[in-house]
Every structure is written in C-alpha cells, then in structure tokens.
Amino acid sequence: MTYLYTTLGKRSADQLGMILPHEHVFVDLRTPDQPGYAEADEAEVLALMVPEIEAIKALGVTALVECSTGGVGRRADMDIAVSLATNFPIVVPTGNYREPWIPDWVRDASEAELGDWMLRELTDGMDETGVPAGWIKISAGDDGITPLEANILRAAVRASKATGALIGSHTIRGRVVMDQLDIIAAEGGAIDRFVSIHTHAEPDFALHKAIAARGAWIEYDNIGAVPVSESADLIVRALDAGLGPQLLISHDRGWFDPALPGGGTPKPYTVVSTELLPELRRRGVDEATIVQLTHANPFRAFSRP
Ligand SMILES: [Zn+2]
C-alpha cells in the first residue's frame, strides 16, 4: 500500500481523484542571500491563494503538488496554512534547487549530511511543522550537472532509497537528465522513482522517449503557458509513442511571490480541467487515458509506502 504524504496527512488512492503534479503556492526566485527572501505575512498569502485552491476544488481536483523546494522559497508553514484554510491536501517537497539558489549550509554540507536532512524531513517533518515532506525536488543546470548539484542528487538518492520517495528534478535539457539517470543508477537508486520535470522544454522528442525507456517519469508542465492546441499535440504524440503510463501533466502556475506587493497576481491552476482535457477528448483520447494521466499517474509517481 502506498500513500501520498500531504499537509493533511497520508492519503490512499481511493481517497483521491484528480491530482495536479506540478504547481506552486509560494515561490521566491530571489536567491536565499537576498534581503526579505521567502518572508511574507500569512494573512496576505491566505487572501491571495485560498481562492485559487477553491477554484480547482470546485472543478474536482483533489490534491496538488507544491514544487517550491529549498533555495526558491519553500515555506512548508505557508503551504500548511493554505491547506488547512481550504481543507485541501498539498504535497510539499524537501531538497534544494540548482546553483546559484543554494544556501551556504547546503553548499557546505556533505552528501551524508544532506541525505540525513532529507530523510528527517521525509519522516519526522519539515522545519518545525511536524508534517513530513512528500517527495524530493532538486534541479540541474542547462549546461550539465555541477559537482554541487550532483552532491544534492546523490543525497536525494540516499533518502529516496530509504523511503521510496520520488525525486523530481527541474532539468531543461534531456542530455542532462540522462546524466542524472547515470548518477542514480551508479548510486543504486530506482530510475522509476525519478521524474524529469519540464520535459516539454526539450525539443528533441527522441530524448523524451529515451528518458522514458530507461524507466523515468516525464512531465509536460507548461499547460496554460502555451496554446492548449500545442500542449494537446505533444501529449497525443507521447500517447501515440506509448509514453502514457509515464506521463505527468500540470501547469507550473500560481503563486504568492514575496518579491511583489501583496504577493503579485497568481495564474490559475484551472486550464487542464477547463481547456486541455476537453481538447484531448475532442481529439479522441478516451476516458481511461484521461484518468490515467490525471489520477493514476500522479498518485503512482508521488506515493510511497
Ligand atoms: Zn515549477
């Protein structure tokens, strides 16, 4: 039996329906050394983000995966506050983003120390919240994984092997993903516990197939950022290539931004439900495949024992 580890506790597959596997409730893209980094007033966060969650609840979405990790303003306490205010489960990661979004303590930590920290967050809880992290979010640069990023990846593999937690990486280039898969294999990690985030950004479709052929998840998470017809073209191409069982789809949208007055203006998480799925149905994608993409795949990817 596997469970999604959420802000509201463990959830089994029969307690959930549609899940959005890559969104953001709270992000700060300033580096951690900047004044005011990740600081915000909880009441302002609730005022901005509760309506966004209520909008997807009304469309039948049952859970959302927060993709803001260490170095880009992860605030587990804010995710929990939004979740409690809406009675809506959110899956929050441990881990850390790529250079230069790496705080000094992560830069200075050994692989073992980082692995132990991720393991504690996945089992005992994030920060002082007592709520366990649901998964591990990392990243690698576009020109190749750096030694520091590789250290974070190897630490993530340690924590994943101990818990079964999924590792997701913001990696734009498919070639870099292949290098990450080599590192995971060398460390004895499970390739099927890895998701290549932003796979849609890799223009060479052969690499989408090559990453999936090695057993990893691929993710098209720009729904709403490009015309829906373009997203549907790519998804249908992946389905025709047999990649449906390993494909995740989401918006990569939201969010409260502490760098902007009042958190800025969030982009809604509704396009998959209101525009993409109707377009896929118009193109003949059957209901079983729709359920696979929106319910079964995200649960299977992000759940663990
Ligand atoms: Zn994202």
Side-chain angles (χ1 to χ4, degrees):
M1 192 86 162
T2 61
Y3 302 90
L4 218 56
Y5 283 71
T6 84
T7 44
L8 300 180
K10 291 197 292 186
R11 292 285 188 276
S12 56
D14 59 7
Q15 295 175 292
L16 296 163
M18 182 171 168
I19 300 164
L20 290 171
H22 186 134
E23 307 298 344
H24 297 271
V25 174
F26 188 100
V27 187
D28 195 340
L29 292 170
R30 299 174 292 186
T31 49
D33 54 349
Q34 295 301 304
Y37 167 78
E39 288 175 11
D41 174 54
E42 183 181 294
E44 282 193 351
V45 176
L46 291 175
L48 197 70
M49 298 313 297
V50 163
E52 300 300 326
I53 298 294
E54 294 295 350
I56 50 172
K57 274 177 71 180
L59 291 167
V61 178
T62 62
L64 162 155
V65 177
E66 166 70 89
C67 281
S68 300
T69 188
V72 287
R74 188 198 71 174
R75 283 290 300 266
D77 57 338
M78 295 294 181
D79 288 326
I80 292 165
V82 171
S83 177
L84 289 172
T86 52
N87 191 31
F88 181 84
I90 299 175
V91 186
V92 184
T94 185
N96 204 91
Y97 206 61
R98 66 183 168 88
E99 297 191 73
W101 288 272
I102 299 185
D104 290 342
W105 79 267
V106 173
R107 182 174 299 274
D108 295 340
S110 69
E111 175 197 323
E113 287 166 342
L114 284 174
D116 287 347
W117 165 67
M118 292 179 198
L119 186 57
R120 276 199 308 278
E121 290 228 318
L122 288 160
T123 52
D124 298 345
M126 299 174 282
D127 302 329
E128 307 305 317
T129 64
V131 173
W135 64 296
I136 308 166
K137 165 79 183 286
I138 62 168
S139 180
D142 298 354
D143 302 324
I145 189 164
T146 69
L148 194 49
E149 292 159 0
N151 200 44
I152 294 169
L153 172 57
R154 283 190 298 267
V157 173
R158 277 178 186 242
S160 175
K161 283 165 71 175
T163 58
L166 184 76
I167 301 170
S169 182
H170 165 117
T171 311
I172 299 301
R173 306 301 310 187
R175 287 286 164 206
V176 181
V177 175
M178 296 299 261
D179 292 341
Q180 290 180 294
L181 297 184
D182 289 343
I183 291 172
I184 294 167
E187 297 296 313
I191 301 292
D192 64 0
R193 302 311 294 144
F194 182 86
V195 52
S196 157
I197 291 171
H198 309 321
T199 317
H200 62 268
E202 168 55 60
D204 181 0
F205 187 73
L207 278 166
H208 302 203
K209 291 196 287 187
I211 292 164
R214 290 183 67 176
W217 293 90
I218 60 172
E219 187 174 271
Y220 300 160
D221 47 42
N222 62 338
I223 312 303
V226 295
V228 164
S229 61
E230 188 179 312
S231 294
D233 287 345
L234 185 59
I235 291 166
V236 168
R237 188 175 184 189
L239 293 174
D240 288 346
L243 307 185
Q246 289 161 268
L247 177 60
L248 301 168
I249 54 174
S250 213
H251 306 89
D252 192 10
R253 287 180 137 199
W255 51 73
F256 187 98
D257 183 343
L260 299 174
T265 306
K267 293 190 178 73
Y269 315 117
T270 53
V271 181
V272 169
S273 300
T274 60
E275 297 179 52
L276 177 71
L277 297 183
E279 176 64 18
L280 291 177
R281 289 186 178 104
R282 271 196 294 278
R283 293 177 184 222
V285 176
D286 62 29
E287 270 325 289
T289 304
I290 299 278
V291 170
Q292 176 183 57
L293 292 176
T294 56
H295 298 45
N297 282 359
F299 183 82
R300 195 156 52 85
F302 285 89
S303 65
R304 59 185 166 100

